[in-house]
Amino acid sequence: MDSHRFKALAVLACAPLPLSAAPVPIFSSTASVHDPSIVQDGEYYYVFGSHAASAWSPDLINWYQYSTHVAVGNPLFPDPFTELSEAFDWTGADTLWAPDVYQLPDGTWAYYYCASEGSSPRGLTGIAESDTVLGPYTDRGVLLRSGMWGQVSPDGTIYDATRHPHAVDPAMFNDPSGGLWMAYGSYSGGIFVMEMDRNTGVQLDGQGYGTKIMGGNHARIEGAYVVYHPETQYYYMFVSFGGLGADGAYNIRVARSTTPEGPYFDAAGQDMIAAKGAAGTIFDDVSIAPYGAKLMGNYQFLHAEGEPYTTSRGYVSPGHNSVLHDAATGKWFNVFHTRFVGRDEQHEVRVHQVFFSEDGWPVVAPHRYAGETIGTYTAADIAGSYKVIHHGTDVSTTVKTSTEVELLANGTLSGTSGTWSLSGDHYITITMGGVAYKGVVCRMWDDDNRMWVDTFSALAPNNAAIWGSAVAIPERSAPYTPIDLTPVAAQAIGIGETLDLVLSDRQDDTPYVLEYALREAPAGTTINPLTGQLTFTPLLSQQGQTFTIRAQAHDVLEPEYTDEVTFNVYVGAPIDVAQSTVTFTGEATGGILDQDGTPTGFTTRLGGTGGTLATHDPKLNLDTTAEVLEIRSSQADFAGQAGMAGLSAPGLRLSDFGFTGDQDFVIRAEFAPVVGFAFVDQLGLYVGTASTNVTRAGFILLDAPQAYSAHTPGTQDAGAHFSSFIDVSDGLSVVIARQNGAWSYFVDGVSTHPTTGEATFLNGQSDLTFGVFAITPLNADVKTAQLQSLTVMIENGDSSQTDWAQWVITHFGANPLPAVAAQDADPDVDGLPNLIEYATGTDPMVPDANGALQASSANGMLSLSFDRIADPALRYYIEASDDPTMAEWPHQLWSSAGSDNAAGKVALPEVAAPSDSARYFRLRVETVE
């Protein structure tokens, strides 16, 4: 076992829990990495894929993007076209293909990169190294080349693409003694294995291309990945058949061998060397379809009657996988990319557990990994109705959909003919159509229905796999009792902090399937609809304010069962900011001119835009009557940089407001109701230095207006993110903020983040411009949007702590509750509000029996006195009235303010004793405006 690749995986290991008691997983982040190869380093897991994309995960459940594409600034290869010039020059490629990352015995990380021309087998594999898993990597040179037409290949014969490999898709693996091997190849002549030097990571001399395992005549077989199982003592080679696109029929297959170099046999006992296209053919899927145990292909679990959700997501072209083994828990994982039903070419990383049958064959879990651990099950546990997928053995674009089959308690099947039985702790045999499928059962998370369900995955000797997922009918009990959410007390939070709490039903054993939603909340608030986890990260513009958060929970099956919880949040810890708002109530004194030559107030444009526009910008119209700036759209697109010269992207320089590059800031654009926009038209707010160095957010019109955000750190968008549908008919609000170095995006108050995460490529740049844009990528029809205002707030770096603010922090903490710390609050219930306690130097948490104003009388005269602090921001009054309930007392006897506020005892001159017209006296304090 390779102690470098297969390090222990820290996961929750527990016996199967009852369906209602199992923990709820939270899938909050995903990443797009094509052809992911997985490694572990310490507590984190990393995948590296084509186009120099990569991502990391703390738990194999949520993935966070690290890099996205081959371009200057990629953290793995900061200048890839220079650093890997030999690979690009040899192949004529403009990107990198599927890599593998492996840690050598001395701790060095080896990055096996590859490139290909794409339409031919002219390819190259090389090796780079780094001291850290995330690079940057330094090239060590080329290992293999292919596609040298008419020339001698590494095995000494003239290169022949029908039998020689395409030198791409490297994948490293170990034998039990620590020997190092590499599997590689794609299409062309097939999959090969060669031995490597275990210390240097390069191939041993004299092997040519190594040993051929399968493929040939341009059959669509690629992405080989080999692992050794110490218990079964087999090497398992996972490969992908078909094409990678949504219409390519990618599917994952496996064969096994007792030696690294084969031969590898499938579940039908066939030698995989025979898996190749017929002579003279290209992409002959029919000839290879019978070979290799097909573990998964296109599939979709359909909605079943009675399930809480009609959601029916499915995978399309899952493939090019890697495998991770957790030696500590015994868990195996299959890590791959997949497209999805109805989502075209959009792809994401997925992780599914791999189990081994009693016959030693791997089967893949039907649902994505959610922290589950296989356990011990009885026939009574497993009996029930299942949605069953028959993966078959074909290489097909058909999405295999589920049919319902019931596993009856007597060991027979309903819905089809057959039998089933359990053995051991979790092994299952299901016979359908006279074919016996052997595999395992496991309780798993059904993400479509948000429930834990029983599942099975099994493989037949004919290389076909079946999956089963129990129909997700929630266990309901009667009578129903009202949903009763636990109340939430008033909260306080400071700038730079995050409120994080979980809403829950106070019932110990709720019969409901709850879903949560926000009904009222400030920007920066999110709630997980499944778990009720609520977070709020305040913006600079929200400091010193109190907000109401109102959240609701309802039963998915019976929506009339619902409850709400409402609480207030105070945003404290004031920060000194510079703020400015551009409005359009009148002509500006300068800046970019609109179509009529009127100054708009905008002083610059986003770099790279507007180069062909006239001095009187034909796409801007200042309408002071409507108090808006009309912006006409351009047929343009940031992705690909089409039409940038004709795009009007007016803006302002952050530096004009005191920005030097390091401060936090918040920028908000407010648009009037948006009408007339068509498919994929976009309107929003940007921050950047140029059209090729910009981040932006706004709305895009898909089936309906949808919030989106994206980065463009080059000529292509990096991981655009599309979130909730929004209503732009009542206006559009867009916020881009950077706080504590973290970037946030809010569209109509809803958080939306690019899948590439932070806009770190803009950090440290002092020449940032912010402004607005309107684009129509797919049509030339001009649309008009109306900008109402553009506001910027920049943090000045120092806390604006007044004496009062510091007093509040001293007595109540950094982020006090307004009910306790407000000026008119009285936490010690002594009749003296906090402002009086502050102004007289007393403790607001200790009751003052004598009050703030002391009085004594002698000889019919009254003496008044109190203690004063030297805060010039205060104004003191001594007042008298015959009615203490009056809002304003009519007799002002004395006052002081500003520099007159000397610290110490204040004693008033003697005044007449109380009379009928002024029997009451008070000390009043207010802050000076």
Side-chain angles (χ1 to χ4, degrees):
M1 181 60 59
D2 173 9
S3 61
H4 300 288
R5 174 182 286 282
F6 301 110
K7 295 182 179 178
L9 174 63
V11 296
L12 174 66
C14 58
L17 297 173
L19 298 181
S20 61
V24 173
I26 299 175
F27 299 98
S28 60
S29 181
T30 188
S32 296
V33 178
H34 215 265
D35 314 321
S37 172
I38 189 165
V39 294
Q40 181 185 1
D41 185 27
E43 299 177 356
Y44 298 101
Y45 311 93
Y46 303 88
V47 288
F48 300 88
S50 290
H51 317 300
S54 59
W56 64 274
S57 172
D59 53 15
L60 296 176
I61 295 174
N62 292 292
W63 290 93
Y64 303 90
Q65 202 85 33
Y66 182 67
S67 61
T68 58
H69 63 295
V70 175
V72 174
N74 186 297
L76 304 177
F77 296 97
D79 190 2
F81 293 107
T82 299
E83 297 163 13
L84 304 178
S85 59
E86 187 173 2
F88 294 112
D89 292 344
W90 165 259
T91 61
D94 60 359
T95 191
L96 297 172
W97 282 19
D100 194 26
V101 174
Y102 174 86
Q103 191 172 30
L104 296 170
D106 66 357
T108 299
W109 291 94
Y111 187 108
Y112 291 85
Y113 62 87
C114 63
S116 173
E117 182 270 338
S119 63
S120 75
R122 191 169 182 85
L124 176 150
T125 289
I127 182 173
E129 64 180 23
S130 173
D131 292 334
T132 61
V133 67
L134 289 177
Y137 284 86
T138 302
D139 186 30
R140 282 179 51 192
V142 175
L143 300 180
L144 289 170
R145 301 175 194 264
S146 64
M148 57 288 289
W149 302 111
Q151 300 177 39
V152 176
S153 70
D155 71 357
T157 64
I158 298 299
Y159 183 82
D160 179 354
T162 66
R163 63 184 183 89
H164 283 139
H166 189 183
V168 293
D169 295 359
M172 316 306 291
F173 66 98
N174 288 92
D175 59 35
S177 63
L180 182 61
W181 302 80
M182 180 175 75
Y184 72 99
S186 173
Y187 289 35
S188 303
I191 304 300
F192 286 66
V193 170
M194 65 192 322
E195 190 171 3
M196 314 295 282
D197 185 303
R198 69 180 69 189
N199 294 311
T200 66
V202 304
Q203 71 266 44
L204 299 178
D205 294 335
Q207 299 181 87
Y209 277 129
T211 302
K212 183 174 179 175
I213 303 301
M214 69 182 80
N217 295 326
H218 304 290
R220 299 199 296 176
I221 302 174
E222 65 181 6
Y225 199 92
V226 181
V227 291
Y228 178 76
H229 196 313
E231 295 180 10
T232 67
Q233 298 183 13
Y234 280 111
Y235 296 87
Y236 295 91
M237 178 176 285
F238 297 80
V239 295
S240 294
F241 280 22
L244 59 86
D247 59 354
Y250 235 16
N251 60 95
I252 298 175
R253 306 199 178 209
V254 70
R256 68 187 185 185
S257 173
T258 56
T259 68
E261 298 174 282
Y264 285 80
F265 296 93
D266 62 19
Q270 303 173 113
D271 189 338
M272 294 298 290
I273 197 68
K276 60 183 177 181
T281 64
I282 294 178
F283 303 167
D284 177 8
D285 293 337
V286 173
S287 292
I288 64 174
Y291 294 89
K294 183 180 177 183
L295 299 179
M296 64 185 301
N298 296 359
Y299 79 93
Q300 184 178 21
F301 283 114
L302 300 179
H303 170 72
E305 184 177 356
E307 290 184 326
Y309 293 91
T310 58
T311 305
S312 181
R313 289 168 287 198
Y315 289 0
V316 174
S317 289
H320 207 123
N321 73 291
S322 56
V323 176
L324 178 72
H325 178 232
D326 171 13
T329 66
K331 289 185 181 181
W332 292 75
F333 300 94
N334 193 308
V335 184
F336 55 94
H337 73 255
T338 186
R339 288 156 174 79
F340 303 90
V341 173
R343 289 170 58 182
D344 298 322
E345 297 300 326
Q346 202 173 43
H347 59 86
E348 295 174 358
V349 174
R350 284 294 181 268
V351 178
H352 286 225
Q353 269 209 79
V354 175
F355 306 111
F356 288 84
S357 71
E358 287 181 295
D359 295 336
W361 280 102
V363 293
V364 176
H367 295 296
R368 67 192 295 190
Y369 180 62
E372 72 279 349
T373 296
I374 197 168
T376 300
Y377 307 91
T378 66
D381 293 330
I382 302 305
S385 295
Y386 287 78
K387 299 184 290 187
V388 176
I389 300 287
H390 291 263
H391 283 291
T393 60
D394 55 334
V395 181
S396 170
T397 59
T398 300
V399 176
K400 306 297 179 66
T401 55
S402 60
T403 57
E404 291 189 37
V405 174
E406 187 172 2
L407 276 59
L408 299 174
N410 63 6
T412 63
L413 305 179
S414 176
T416 187
S417 61
T419 61
W420 71 281
S421 63
L422 290 182
S423 61
D425 291 337
H426 43 245
Y427 296 113
I428 190 170
T429 299
I430 301 179
T431 301
M432 294 182 182
V435 177
Y437 298 84
K438 291 187 175 183
V440 301
V441 295
C442 183
R443 188 156 296 159
M444 303 196 69
W445 179 257
D446 177 350
D447 201 32
D448 279 351
N449 290 291
R450 300 179 179 181
M451 282 182 57
W452 289 98
V453 298
D454 291 317
T455 73
F456 60 78
S457 179
L459 180 68
N462 64 0
N463 287 328
I466 59 171
W467 285 354
S469 181
V471 175
I473 304 297
E475 298 177 1
R476 309 304 294 262
S477 60
Y480 289 121
T481 57
I483 297 173
D484 185 13
L485 292 181
T486 302
V488 178
Q491 304 286 317
I493 189 171
I495 299 296
E497 297 180 342
T498 296
L499 170 68
D500 193 340
L501 54 88
V502 177
L503 304 183
S504 62
D505 193 337
R506 282 194 284 190
Q507 300 177 98
D508 293 334
D509 186 17
T510 175
Y512 302 103
V513 179
L514 294 183
E515 188 172 77
Y516 300 86
L518 291 172
R519 294 293 178 246
E520 180 182 356
T525 310
T526 64
I527 193 168
N528 184 300
L530 174 61
T531 65
Q533 183 177 32
L534 184 149
T535 64
F536 170 48
T537 304
L539 303 174
L540 284 172
S541 54
Q542 296 168 330
Q543 64 179 359
Q545 301 179 57
T546 300
F547 298 95
T548 297
I549 293 180
R550 182 166 61 94
Q552 182 189 76
H554 71 272
D555 180 29
V556 173
L557 298 182
E558 304 287 345
E560 65 269 20
Y561 291 99
T562 184
D563 191 29
E564 287 188 353
V565 61
T566 301
F567 61 97
N568 291 330
V569 178
Y570 172 69
V571 180
I575 302 297
D576 189 23
V577 297
Q579 178 174 338
S580 182
T581 300
V582 178
T583 58
F584 307 101
T585 57
E587 293 185 13
T589 57
I592 295 173
L593 305 179
D594 76 353
Q595 61 183 8
D596 299 320
T598 305
T600 62
F602 285 109
T603 58
T604 189
R605 299 185 188 277
L606 178 64
T609 68
T612 62
L613 295 176
T615 302
H616 292 189
D617 190 336
K619 297 183 177 180
L620 299 179
N621 177 47
L622 181 63
D623 185 344
T624 57
T625 300
E627 299 184 356
V628 297
L629 178 67
E630 293 184 343
I631 304 170
R632 298 185 179 95
S633 66
S634 301
Q635 187 172 13
D637 197 356
F638 286 93
Q641 296 292 290
M644 290 291 105
L647 171 64
S648 183
L652 298 161
R653 295 180 180 88
L654 273 174
S655 58
D656 290 343
F657 302 92
F659 181 73
T660 59
D662 297 326
Q663 304 103 306
D664 288 342
F665 57 82
V666 179
I667 300 166
R668 178 188 297 272
E670 298 285 349
F671 295 91
V674 182
V675 296
F677 277 58
F679 182 67
V680 303
D681 291 354
Q682 300 159 47
L683 174 68
L685 174 67
Y686 71 80
V687 179
T689 62
S691 61
T692 54
N693 195 44
V694 67
T695 186
R696 64 192 192 278
F699 99 91
I700 180 172
L701 188 64
L702 299 174
D703 296 331
Q706 192 168 351
Y708 92 108
S709 53
H711 301 318
T712 310
T715 60
Q716 297 293 332
D717 280 355
H721 180 75
F722 307 97
S723 56
S724 60
F725 290 102
I726 57 175
D727 182 7
V728 298
S729 65
D730 60 353
L732 172 68
S733 174
V734 186
V735 173
I736 298 179
R738 188 180 74 186
Q739 293 185 196
N740 292 330
W743 290 73
S744 301
Y745 306 77
F746 302 94
V747 181
D748 272 6
V750 177
S751 176
T752 175
H753 290 78
T755 54
T756 49
E758 300 287 338
T760 53
F761 60 96
L762 295 177
N763 286 347
Q765 301 189 38
S766 60
D767 57 342
L768 293 178
T769 297
F770 65 96
V772 294
F773 66 91
I775 59 175
T776 58
L778 300 184
N779 62 82
D781 298 332
V782 176
K783 316 302 191 313
T784 300
Q786 297 180 324
L787 177 65
Q788 296 174 318
S789 65
L790 187 63
T791 300
V792 57
M793 297 181 69
I794 299 175
E795 176 251 323
N796 282 339
D798 297 322
S799 172
S800 58
Q801 298 295 358
T802 61
D803 291 343
W804 158 255
Q806 186 57 55
W807 183 85
V808 170
I809 290 173
T810 299
H811 289 281
F812 305 114
N815 300 306
L817 297 178
V820 174
Q823 290 185 359
D824 58 352
D826 183 13
D828 57 7
V829 198
D830 62 356
L832 302 180
N834 282 332
L835 189 58
I836 292 290
E837 300 265 18
Y838 164 66
T840 58
T842 54
D843 190 333
M845 304 306 293
V846 177
D848 295 285
N850 298 322
L853 186 65
Q854 288 80 50
S856 62
S857 61
N859 302 320
M861 301 297 291
L862 184 68
S863 295
L864 301 174
S865 64
F866 68 93
D867 292 315
R868 180 175 60 184
I869 65 171
D871 186 344
L874 299 179
R875 185 183 300 276
Y876 294 80
Y877 299 92
I878 297 287
E879 299 173 330
S881 175
D882 63 347
D883 181 1
T885 64
M886 297 179 66
E888 295 185 4
W889 287 24
H891 306 291
Q892 186 180 113
L893 307 180
W894 172 91
S895 69
S896 76
S899 58
D900 292 337
N901 291 338
K905 178 74 70 175
V906 175
L908 272 67
E910 292 181 337
V911 297
S915 64
D916 290 341
S917 61
R919 294 181 297 167
Y920 302 94
F921 298 88
R922 73 176 182 184
L923 171 67
R924 182 169 65 89
V925 179
E926 64 182 24
T927 55
V928 178
E929 295 295 333

